[in-house]
Amino acid sequence: MLNTNNNTHIQKFKRSVLIKAALICFFIFISMYSFADSSDENTLLSSLDFSKAENLINDVRANKLDYLINEKKLTKAFELSKEQRWERLHLEAAALYAELLFRQERYKRLKHHLAFYLSNKQLTEQKDVHLLFLESQLKSLARNEDPTPAKNLAKELEKLIPQHSDNEKIIIFRALAYYYTDTDVLRKTLNAALEGLELALKNNNFAAQGYFYRKIADAYHLLTDVDKDKSKAVYYAKKAVKAYEKTSDGLFTAKAYWSLGNVLLEINDPNNALVQLNKALSYFKKVNMKKGLAFAQYSIADIQYLQGNYNTALTLVNQNIELARSAGIHDMHLASLILLADIYIKQNLLDKANQVNDEVYNNLDKFTRSIYKARFLAKRYELKRRLNYIDDAFEAIEDKLVYTKKHYEATSESNIKALQIKFEVKEREDKISQLEFEKDINKLQAIEEHQQKIIWRLSASIAFILVLVSLFLFYRQIRQRKKYHTIALTDYLTNSLNRRGVMQIADNLLANKPASIAIVDLDYFKNINDKFGHDTGDLVLIKFAQAAKDTLSENDTYGRYGGEEWLFVLNTLDKQKINDTFENLALTLSEYCREIEALPSKINITFSVGVAISNPHSKSLDVLIKHADQQLYKAKENGRNQIAIA
C-alpha cells in the first residue's frame, strides 16, 4: 500500500514538472516570437548598407514611398548616412528628413535642423538638394509672424529660376506656389503653379503635377464666390487626385481628397464631398496628423450642419476646437468657432452664439486671409442685427467692406484673365497685346498730328514691330501645338495611346507592310464598376495598360479604343505568336490586378480577343477592325476569356 502511494505521488510530481516545463517553453516561444516580430523592422533597418539606403532615399524622392508611413526607415537612413560619413547621400537624406519634420509638424526641430545644414559649404555643390532645403526653409519661414525673411527668400528663389534645370525649377515653383498660397497672393500662386505644371507635364512627374493641379484648384476655389464659377476648381481638384493616386505620397493624396471634398461641398454636392473627406480623414488618423485631422473633421462637421444634424455637428466641432487649439492652427480654430456659433443660431441659442462670435472677433487678426475675415464679419453683422446691437452691426459691415476690398485687390479679375491655363489657346492675350499697340499708335497720331511724315514713319515702325510680334506669337503657337499634339493622342487615365493615336499608327503601319489587328474587351467590366466602384474600375484599366506595355514587343502597339475596349497592332501574321502574346498578357494582367487592394483576391480579371490578319484582299484598317470586331463577338459568344482569330 505504501509503495502504491509513493508511485502515485511520483507520477503526480512528474506530471507537474512536465506541465511546468511545457508552460515555460510556451512562454519562451511566445516571447521569442513577439521579439522577432517587433524587431523585424529594426533588423531590416540595421542591415541598411549604402546601396539600400540610396534606393530608399531615391524611392522617397520619387514618391514611391510615403514619408510618414516610412518615418523609421527614413530616419534610420538619415542617421546611418551621418554615422558612416556618406556625405553626398547624407545631405540628400537630411533634405528629405527636413520635409519629414515639416509633415510631422515638428517645427522647432525643423528650424534647428535647417540652421545646421544650410551652413554646410558642400551643400551648394548639390543644386537639387540645396533647393530642397530652401523649399523647407521657405515653408518654415512662412509660419513666422515676421513676414520679411520668407518674402526675401521667395524673391531670391525667383531670381534663381533661369539658372536651373527643369527638375530643379519644379522644386522652386513648388516652394513658391506654397508660399504665395500661404500669403494669399493668389495671382502669383497661379503663375508659379502654371509654370511648374508645364514642366511637370513635360517630365512626367505625377507628384509635381498633382501638387500644381491642387494649387491651381485651391486658387480658383478662393477666387470665386459663386457656385457656378467653381467649375475650374472642381476640374483641377479632380486632376490633382488622379495624379496623386499614381504615387505613394499618402499625405498629399489625402490633401487632394480634402481639397476636392471642400469644393464639392461648396457646389452643393455633400454626399460626394463626404466620400472624399472620409478618404482624407482615414489617412490623417493613420499617421496621427493633427493639422490634417482638424481640417478634414471640420469639413465633415460642416456637412453634418448643412444636412441639419446639429447634435452630431456640435459634437464634432467641439472636438475640433480643442484639436485645432492644441495644434496651434489658428485659421481652423477660428473657423470651428464660427461653425459652433452657426449651430447655436440654428438651435436658437443666440446668447451662446454671440459669446462665441465675440471670441472670434477678438482674435480676427489670426486669420491669414482677408476673405475669411470678410465672410466672418458678414455673419457677425447678421447676428448683431438680430440681437439689436446696432453699433456692433454697423462696425462689422464697415470692417467687412475693408477686408473685401483687400481680397479683391489680391485677386482682381483682370489679373486672373491674364493668366489663362498654359495648354489653352491664348487668343485673348494676343488680342490684348494688339490693342495696346494700336492704342499707342492712336495716341501718337493725336499728339503729333501736324507732323505727318514723322507719324507715318513711326506708324510704319510700330506696324513692323506688330508683324514681328505676330510672327513670333504664331511661331510660339505652332510650337505649343506640336508640344500638345502628343497629349491629344494620349489617354489621360492610362497614359497610353487613345483611339486617335493608335489608329494613326495602325494606318501608317498597314500602308507599308501587313500586320494583325486585334480588339480586346475586358470581360464583365461593368460588374467591376458596379460592385467595387469606378475608382477600382479605373485602376483595372491602368493595370491593363501597364501589363500590355510590359508584355508587347517593341514593334507592337496598343491603345485605348474606347471604354474597356483596346486596339492592338501586332507586327506579325503568325497565329501562334499572336496566341502566345495574349496568353502572356493574361498572366501579367492577373498578377498586376492582385496589387489592387479594393479588388478581392478571388476576382480574376479576364478579357476576350478578336484578331484579324491582313492579306491582299483585306488590308485597310477599317476592314480589319470590322473583321476583328466580328471575331471578338464570336469569342464572347463562346464564353469569353478566349482568342478568336480570322
Side-chain angles (χ1 to χ4, degrees), residues 319-333:
Q319 291 173 0
N320 218 52
I321 289 168
E322 293 307 314
L323 179 62
R325 181 188 285 126
S326 64
I329 312 166
H330 301 306
D331 275 347
M332 185 46 57
H333 177 217

Side-chain angles (χ1 to χ4, degrees), residues 240-256:
V241 167
K242 283 185 179 291
Y244 269 125
E245 285 180 340
K246 296 177 182 177
T247 74
S248 295
D249 193 329
L251 175 60
F252 277 63
T253 306
K255 286 185 175 182

Side-chain angles (χ1 to χ4, degrees), residues 387-432:
L387 290 168
N388 206 28
Y389 297 154
I390 304 302
D391 291 341
D392 287 347
F394 278 109
E395 184 180 0
I397 205 67
E398 287 173 358
D399 289 344
K400 176 186 179 294
L401 292 173
V402 171
Y403 288 116
T404 301
K405 183 181 177 183
K406 285 184 179 180
H407 172 65
Y408 282 113
E409 284 174 356
T411 61
S412 64
E413 192 66 23
S414 59
N415 286 333
I416 302 311
K417 286 182 178 177
L419 286 163
Q420 296 297 322
I421 305 308
K422 288 279 178 163
F423 38 78
E424 293 179 355
V425 179
K426 295 190 174 182
E427 293 178 352
R428 184 169 294 181
E429 288 184 10
D430 297 341
K431 186 178 180 181
I432 290 170

Side-chain angles (χ1 to χ4, degrees), residues 53-168:
E54 186 177 42
N55 289 337
L56 173 69
I57 289 166
N58 288 338
D59 284 345
V60 173
R61 283 197 69 177
N63 299 285
K64 293 179 182 178
L65 291 175
D66 183 271
Y67 278 83
L68 296 176
I69 292 174
N70 292 277
E71 169 200 355
K72 291 182 180 179
K73 290 181 182 178
L74 184 55
T75 303
K76 182 64 179 179
F78 165 65
E79 293 170 348
L80 186 64
S81 60
K82 184 177 182 181
E83 291 170 9
Q84 300 296 325
R85 297 185 179 179
W86 299 330
E87 188 65 27
R88 182 193 63 78
L89 190 65
H90 177 62
L91 288 175
E92 195 170 359
L96 300 185
Y97 187 67
E99 175 64 19
L100 174 65
L101 291 173
F102 185 81
R103 294 187 183 205
Q104 291 176 322
E105 302 169 3
R106 296 164 63 187
Y107 303 119
K108 288 183 180 179
R109 177 77 183 88
L110 173 61
K111 184 178 179 181
H112 294 303
H113 181 81
L114 291 171
F116 178 79
Y117 282 97
L118 284 169
S119 63
N120 189 318
K121 293 180 180 179
Q122 295 183 23
L123 184 59
T124 53
E125 296 174 9
Q126 294 176 242
K127 285 186 178 181
D128 60 332
V129 176
H130 186 213
L131 289 172
L132 289 174
F133 273 108
L134 293 178
E135 180 185 18
S136 294
Q137 187 184 34
L138 183 59
K139 292 193 289 189
S140 177
L141 291 174
R143 292 180 47 78
N144 294 348
E145 290 185 9
D146 180 7
T148 306
K151 187 176 181 180
N152 291 339
L153 180 55
K155 287 182 178 178
E156 183 182 332
L157 286 170
E158 286 177 343
K159 292 177 183 177
L160 291 174
I161 292 170
Q163 53 190 272
H164 285 280
S165 68
D166 283 359
N167 287 325
E168 291 162 358

Side-chain angles (χ1 to χ4, degrees), residues 158 161 173 176-177 180-181 185-198 212 215-216 219-220 223 415-416 418-422 426 429:
E158 286 177 343
I161 292 170
F173 285 125
L176 292 173
Y180 290 131
T181 303
V185 187
L186 300 177
R187 180 181 62 82
K188 286 192 172 184
T189 298
L190 270 176
N191 194 23
L194 289 167
E195 293 285 342
L197 178 59
E198 184 175 350
F212 293 123
K215 287 299 174 187
I216 295 169
Y220 277 117
L223 288 168
N415 286 333
I416 302 311
L419 286 163
Q420 296 297 322
I421 305 308
K422 288 279 178 163
K426 295 190 174 182
E429 288 184 10

Side-chain angles (χ1 to χ4, degrees), residues 193-346:
L194 289 167
E195 293 285 342
L197 178 59
E198 184 175 350
L199 294 172
L201 288 167
K202 177 181 174 183
N203 291 276
N204 291 321
N205 187 331
F206 294 118
Q209 288 174 34
Y211 186 87
F212 293 123
Y213 278 135
R214 180 170 170 259
K215 287 299 174 187
I216 295 169
D218 288 347
Y220 277 117
H221 186 188
L222 293 167
L223 288 168
T224 52
D225 294 325
V226 184
D227 290 351
K228 67 180 180 180
D229 294 333
K230 299 280 185 183
S231 57
K232 280 199 172 183
V234 175
Y235 173 78
Y236 286 109
K238 287 181 177 179
K239 296 279 280 185
V241 167
K242 283 185 179 291
Y244 269 125
E245 285 180 340
K246 296 177 182 177
T247 74
S248 295
D249 193 329
L251 175 60
F252 277 63
T253 306
K255 286 185 175 182
Y257 289 141
W258 179 82
S259 292
L260 178 56
N262 273 284
V263 73
L264 288 172
L265 180 57
E266 289 206 16
I267 62 170
N268 199 26
D269 189 359
N271 293 330
N272 283 327
L274 200 57
V275 171
Q276 302 299 329
L277 292 167
N278 277 319
K279 286 181 183 178
L281 188 66
S282 175
Y283 176 84
F284 295 138
K285 283 182 178 178
K286 185 176 182 180
V287 297
N288 193 28
M289 186 177 186
K290 288 184 178 179
K291 187 173 182 179
L293 280 169
F295 277 83
Q297 191 166 262
Y298 166 81
S299 298
I300 292 171
D302 194 21
I303 290 174
Q304 296 295 338
Y305 163 75
L306 292 172
Q307 292 180 337
N309 304 321
Y310 300 129
N311 290 332
T312 304
L314 191 63
T315 301
L316 287 172
V317 81
N318 276 319
Q319 291 173 0
N320 218 52
I321 289 168
E322 293 307 314
L323 179 62
R325 181 188 285 126
S326 64
I329 312 166
H330 301 306
D331 275 347
M332 185 46 57
H333 177 217
L334 295 175
S336 298
L337 286 170
I338 293 169
L339 181 54
L340 178 63
D342 290 343
I343 295 168
Y344 283 148
I345 290 170
K346 289 292 184 182

